[in-house]
Amino acid sequence: MNDVKQYFSNLMDYVSRMTTSQVMMLFGVIAGSIVGIVLVVGWLGTVSYTPLYSNLDESEAGEVIGYLTDNKIQYNITNGGKTIEVPTNDVYKTRISLASQGLPRGGNIGYSIFDQNNLGMTDFLQNLNFRRALEGELTKTIMQLNEVKAARVHIVMPKERLFKKDSQHATASVVLKLRGGTSSLSVHQIKGISHLVASSVEGLKPSNISIIDYNGNLLTSGSESDPLAGLSSSQLEVRKKVEGYLQEKAQSMMDDVLGDGKSVIRVTADLNFQQIERTSEIFDANTPSIRSEERVKSTFSTSDKSDETNESSEEDNNETVITNYELNKTVEHLVNAVGSIDRVSIAVMIDGKYVPQENADGETEMVYQPRPQEELDRLAAIVKNAVGFDTQRNDQIEMINIAFDKQDLTYQQQMLDDMYTREFYTDIAKKVGYFLLIAFLLFYFKKKSKKLFAAMATIAPPPQVQRPQPSTHAGVVAEEDEFLEPIIPEKREAKLIDKMQETAKEEPEEIARVIKTMMVE
């Protein structure tokens, strides 16, 4: 107890002798240590939670919570009771355990609903389960798309009617929840989903399928219900592809010849989307052919008997030929190709050459020079061959040699270069500043910590060394001698001057001769 009081009194005495900065540093070190210990302990004791299930119904959430409570599994409830979170290490184990109990019962069921043996089920329930299973399977298939986060499919199957005129077509609706980085699906993906659902349901047409997103936006284009609108959009898309293909061919060749940014090519293609079916019959009157021939042959005989010994007979043969001729006929059935190119128009702009020249001030500047006509003709021939130029289609090409105005581009590039340079040096200055600040703080704390620990060493003094006391009649030793340590003289090596002094004492004549020799030289 006395030692504790002595230590506490020494500490208070030490704190009273400290300066203001040392006191602040001491309390800062103590507070930082306490905060660090608290954070480390809190971090070690913190449990990380991960969503177990989301968007649960209230009844299903109650069943899941009851299971977690019975099995003493920690959980948190968020999102208004629709999301249940459990510790990260227990997520998969808990899901498997809940799945073995048939929880949650909602979600995409699929054809697994028929795995249960339900005896005595009516036809209505069988049809209802079939529709639910089909919706669940389609939902699973649609959710395989990378852009789709969640999906719901609703199918309406009409009842069978006695008369065909009273029958109705099946309909379906699809609700999609897209991922955060996806704004919308492409036209091909939407058509793919429509045809997928239509192919999976008997009697369902793609025109009877509605696809919307979670914001209520209709994603189906309606091309099935309006063939003309769909055809117009398809025509525009085909035209863009043809023009882009021809333009890319010509532009890539010009870039290889002149360089990037030295030419601009635009192609306009007129396409023929008329679909014509022509059937023609051609008769050739010069080369008729026999279609049928009928021959009729008749024979007539007569006899004359004048007496018993003289008798004469006479026969008459007639042949009738009926020949039917038919002219040669050629039947042709022609269907014109849709999307054929009727005409191509090409516009080409080419930059000139820039030659360095000295101005009146002696500075070198780039001077524009137009390209010769021969070079332009060769370049035009290259472009024609690239796009398949045809004079019979009345194709046109216009090539102009003009100076490109690149002042704004140069100014923007200079601004970007200056911005990049400024950010580069600013980043370097920040890093150097942080380094100097950290070095200064380390040096400052090192210096202060030395003083702090040196001052703290006085609180717990080193063990005392008891010197042997000389015999005295008074029996009293001076108080200051009790803490003096024995002084041990250091043993040092002999220096050069000591050796010279020793040599001078032992051999003075030799030293005198050396000095004399040095004076003579």
Side-chain angles (χ1 to χ4, degrees):
M1 189 68 181
N2 295 329
D3 295 338
V4 175
K5 292 182 179 179
Q6 182 66 28
Y7 183 82
F8 184 74
S9 62
N10 293 337
L11 179 62
M12 296 301 297
D13 185 29
Y14 164 72
V15 172
S16 63
R17 293 196 305 267
M18 292 174 61
T19 61
T20 306
S21 61
Q22 291 177 345
V23 173
M24 293 177 63
M25 181 176 293
L26 177 61
F27 283 102
V29 171
I30 296 174
S33 302
I34 295 174
V35 171
I37 294 172
V38 171
L39 291 177
V40 170
V41 173
W43 176 71
L44 293 176
T46 302
V47 180
S48 177
Y49 285 87
T50 302
L52 180 66
Y53 293 111
S54 300
N55 299 325
L56 292 175
D57 295 337
E58 294 180 358
S59 59
E60 295 179 348
E63 294 179 358
V64 172
I65 292 175
Y67 177 84
L68 298 177
T69 303
D70 296 339
N71 291 272
K72 298 180 180 180
I73 299 175
Q74 299 180 3
Y75 63 91
N76 287 333
I77 302 175
T78 59
N79 194 18
K82 295 182 179 180
T83 302
I84 300 176
E85 298 178 348
V86 296
T88 305
N89 298 330
D90 300 332
V91 171
Y92 300 106
K93 181 176 66 176
T94 306
R95 286 179 181 174
I96 294 174
S97 301
L98 288 171
S100 63
Q101 300 295 326
L103 296 174
R105 295 186 173 84
N108 304 324
I109 300 175
Y111 289 120
S112 60
I113 191 174
F114 295 106
D115 296 338
Q116 302 175 3
N117 188 9
N118 297 322
L119 298 176
M121 184 176 293
T122 62
D123 293 340
F124 174 77
L125 293 179
Q126 285 285 2
N127 295 331
L128 180 62
N129 287 339
F130 173 73
R131 182 175 61 82
R132 291 176 60 193
L134 185 58
E135 291 175 353
E137 293 294 333
L138 289 173
T139 300
K140 293 178 182 178
T141 305
I142 295 173
M143 288 180 61
Q144 296 299 319
L145 296 176
N146 296 329
E147 294 81 0
V148 179
K149 184 177 181 180
R152 290 291 300 273
V153 179
H154 303 279
I155 301 175
V156 177
M157 295 181 180
K159 296 181 179 179
E160 295 182 358
R161 303 290 181 178
L162 181 61
F163 299 100
K164 184 177 181 181
K165 63 179 181 179
D166 297 334
S167 63
Q168 298 179 356
H169 298 287
T171 58
S173 61
V174 181
V175 183
L176 302 178
K177 183 177 182 180
L178 305 180
R179 298 190 183 276
T182 304
S183 58
S184 62
L185 298 176
S186 63
V187 178
H188 298 288
Q189 290 175 325
I190 295 174
K191 290 183 178 179
I193 294 174
S194 300
H195 286 278
L196 171 68
V197 177
S199 302
S200 303
V201 181
E202 181 181 2
L204 180 60
K205 298 180 180 180
S207 58
N208 294 332
I209 300 175
S210 300
I211 302 177
I212 62 174
D213 59 7
Y214 266 34
N215 297 324
N217 299 320
L218 183 65
L219 301 181
T220 49
S221 60
S223 59
E224 298 292 339
S225 60
D226 191 359
L228 296 178
L231 183 61
S232 300
S233 60
S234 301
Q235 291 176 1
L236 181 60
E237 185 177 357
V238 171
R239 181 176 179 178
K240 287 181 178 180
K241 289 183 178 180
V242 172
E243 292 177 350
Y245 173 71
L246 298 176
Q247 178 178 319
E248 193 275 333
K249 290 177 61 179
Q251 188 68 58
S252 60
M253 294 184 64
M254 296 297 289
D255 291 342
D256 293 339
V257 175
L258 302 177
D260 295 338
K262 293 293 184 179
S263 62
V264 178
I265 300 177
R266 294 294 181 267
V267 178
T268 302
D270 295 335
L271 304 182
N272 184 8
F273 292 99
Q274 294 181 356
Q275 186 174 2
I276 301 175
E277 296 184 3
R278 184 182 295 109
T279 303
S280 60
E281 295 183 0
I282 303 174
F283 296 92
D284 189 1
N286 297 325
T287 57
S289 59
I290 297 175
R291 181 178 183 182
S292 63
E293 186 177 17
E294 182 179 359
R295 294 178 180 270
V296 179
K297 188 177 181 180
S298 60
T299 303
F300 299 96
S301 63
T302 60
S303 63
D304 185 10
K305 186 176 181 182
S306 60
D307 50 21
E308 296 179 356
T309 59
N310 188 9
E311 183 178 359
S312 62
S313 61
E314 186 177 329
E315 294 182 358
D316 186 9
N317 296 324
N318 294 327
E319 185 177 0
T320 303
V321 180
I322 300 175
T323 304
N324 296 324
Y325 292 92
E326 180 147 356
L327 301 178
N328 291 336
K329 180 177 66 174
T330 303
V331 181
E332 293 182 351
H333 183 73
L334 301 177
V335 179
N336 292 343
V338 179
S340 59
I341 299 177
D342 287 344
R343 183 184 177 187
V344 175
S345 301
I346 310 168
V348 184
M349 291 191 304
I350 298 178
D351 195 6
K353 299 179 180 179
Y354 295 88
V355 180
Q357 292 183 2
E358 293 185 0
N359 54 14
D361 299 335
E363 298 179 355
T364 302
E365 60 181 6
M366 306 301 292
V367 179
Y368 170 79
Q369 290 185 358
R371 298 179 183 272
Q373 187 62 34
E374 297 179 357
E375 183 179 358
L376 295 178
D377 294 340
R378 291 196 300 269
L379 295 176
I382 293 175
V383 175
K384 289 180 180 179
N385 294 330
V387 300
F389 191 86
D390 189 1
T391 56
Q392 296 181 358
R393 294 183 312 201
N394 197 19
D395 293 348
Q396 294 182 354
I397 182 172
E398 185 70 23
M399 180 173 289
I400 300 176
N401 185 201
I402 188 173
F404 289 2
D405 186 9
K406 298 182 178 180
Q407 294 182 358
D408 184 66
L409 179 61
T410 304
Y411 176 73
Q412 296 293 337
Q413 290 177 352
Q414 185 65 29
M415 288 185 61
L416 291 176
D417 293 340
D418 295 341
M419 185 182 300
Y420 174 77
T421 304
R422 184 167 55 253
E423 291 179 355
F424 176 74
Y425 286 111
T426 302
D427 187 39
I428 292 178
K430 288 182 179 179
K431 292 181 180 179
V432 172
Y434 291 151
F435 176 76
L436 294 177
L437 178 61
I438 293 173
F440 174 76
L441 292 176
L442 290 175
F443 177 76
Y444 178 79
F445 282 109
K446 183 178 179 181
K447 183 178 180 181
K448 292 296 182 179
S449 62
K450 286 183 177 181
K451 294 183 178 179
L452 178 63
F453 289 117
M456 292 180 63
T458 59
I459 299 177
Q464 301 177 0
V465 179
Q466 188 72 22
R467 294 181 58 189
Q469 298 181 0
S471 59
T472 174
H473 298 283
V476 180
V477 182
E479 183 179 356
E480 59 275 8
D481 293 340
E482 295 180 358
F483 302 97
L484 293 179
E485 297 180 357
I487 299 175
I488 302 175
E490 297 181 357
K491 183 178 180 181
R492 61 184 183 87
E493 298 181 356
K495 297 182 179 180
L496 180 59
I497 187 171
D498 298 334
K499 293 183 179 180
M500 292 179 64
Q501 291 178 358
E502 184 178 357
T503 305
K505 292 180 178 180
E506 295 178 355
E507 299 178 358
E509 296 178 355
E510 189 67 24
I511 296 299
R513 187 171 61 254
V514 171
I515 294 173
K516 183 177 181 181
T517 303
M518 293 174 59
M519 293 177 63
V520 171
E521 293 178 355

